[in-house]
Amino acid sequence: MFVGHYAAAFGARNLVGQVPLWFLFFAVQFADYLWAVFILLGIEGARVVPNFLPASHLDLYFMPYSHSVVATVVWSAVLALVYVAVARPPRRWAAGAIVAFAVTSHWVLDLVVHTQDLPLLYGDPKFGFGLWRYQAFSQALEIGLLFLGLIIYLRATTPKGVLGQLTLALLMIAMLVMQAIGQVPPPDDQSIEAFAQTALLAYSGLVALAFLVDCTRRSR
């Protein structure tokens, strides 16, 4: 799952009203940030296999440190504590809980679409409902979740003039374009390292656009 993860960021933006959208964009993809870094460092393993599944080109055979159940719990606590310590929001524990929720939501949504490659800790058992085997259904789920989160966000915020509308439109266009590009089979010789580097750039680009959206909208 890719853009579907951002539904949790949009939906959670105004639950407390203190965690900015750009940080929630970072939090919901924190597991994939870690995965990309661990791939580049040789700590975790995966392969780019064109049409490995109808909706995924990745054989994710080893990722216990970024995508296991235990790792998700640990990383969600770590990022929440870091946010509370650095940002010092007034309602710090409520804000920390929102950050932890955002990080954890990644694993929950991955569970729906992944095949059995999400470990409990290390090795078997592994979990995954496998919706990526059905491209139309998985795409419909991702886009549907994204627009549901967007509707919640729009009901809770107002734009600061035309710029607020333009930045949000730009963010949505960027996400939909990246989602479409992600469905195109990669070259047969593309390395997993190159894929990880591209993923890091894509995630960071969306975080930057979310920062612009935050600057041009206000809570109702």
Side-chain angles (χ1 to χ4, degrees):
M1 181 166 287
F2 177 50
V3 298
H5 288 302
Y6 296 106
F10 278 126
R13 171 62 181 90
N14 289 285
L15 289 180
V16 178
Q18 298 172 20
V19 185
L21 183 66
W22 70 266
F23 193 83
L24 289 171
F25 263 52
F26 174 74
V28 297
Q29 289 289 21
F30 189 54
D32 278 352
Y33 269 102
L34 293 170
W35 173 83
V37 171
F38 292 160
I39 287 293
L40 294 173
L41 294 176
I43 296 173
E44 293 190 337
R47 288 182 289 263
V48 178
V49 182
N51 300 310
F52 178 71
L53 292 170
S56 174
H57 309 296
L58 296 178
D59 177 11
L60 302 165
Y61 61 85
F62 184 72
M63 49 180 187
Y65 308 115
S66 64
H67 279 75
S68 69
V69 176
V70 173
T72 297
V73 173
V74 171
W75 290 122
S76 65
V78 168
L79 193 63
L81 290 173
V82 169
Y83 178 79
V84 168
V86 175
R88 297 183 180 275
R91 298 173 61 190
R92 60 184 186 278
W93 298 118
I98 295 301
V99 173
F101 158 78
V103 176
T104 304
S105 72
H106 185 100
W107 193 92
V108 175
L109 293 176
D110 273 359
L111 176 67
V112 177
V113 296
H114 279 229
T115 55
Q116 292 183 335
D117 52 29
L118 300 169
L120 177 62
L121 176 57
Y122 196 95
D124 294 329
K126 293 183 178 181
F127 308 97
F129 298 156
L131 193 62
W132 271 342
R133 295 189 181 97
Y134 311 98
Q135 186 171 18
F137 291 118
S138 65
Q139 290 296 299
L141 176 64
E142 290 224 38
I143 301 301
L145 285 174
L146 176 63
F147 278 95
L148 176 61
L150 178 63
I151 290 170
I152 295 172
Y153 179 72
L154 289 175
R155 289 173 64 89
T157 63
T158 56
K160 298 177 182 178
V162 176
L163 191 59
Q165 297 171 329
L166 291 177
T167 54
L168 184 59
L170 181 61
L171 175 62
M172 293 301 298
I173 291 170
M175 283 193 286
L176 294 175
V177 168
M178 289 179 184
Q179 178 71 14
I181 292 174
Q183 299 306 304
V184 177
D188 292 336
D189 59 349
Q190 183 179 19
S191 68
I192 189 62
E193 290 78 14
F195 185 95
Q197 291 171 351
T198 301
L200 286 174
L201 289 174
Y203 301 149
S204 300
L206 291 181
V207 167
L209 287 173
F211 175 79
L212 293 178
V213 170
D214 253 343
C215 293
T216 58
R217 298 186 72 88
R218 64 171 66 90
S219 298
R220 291 183 185 273

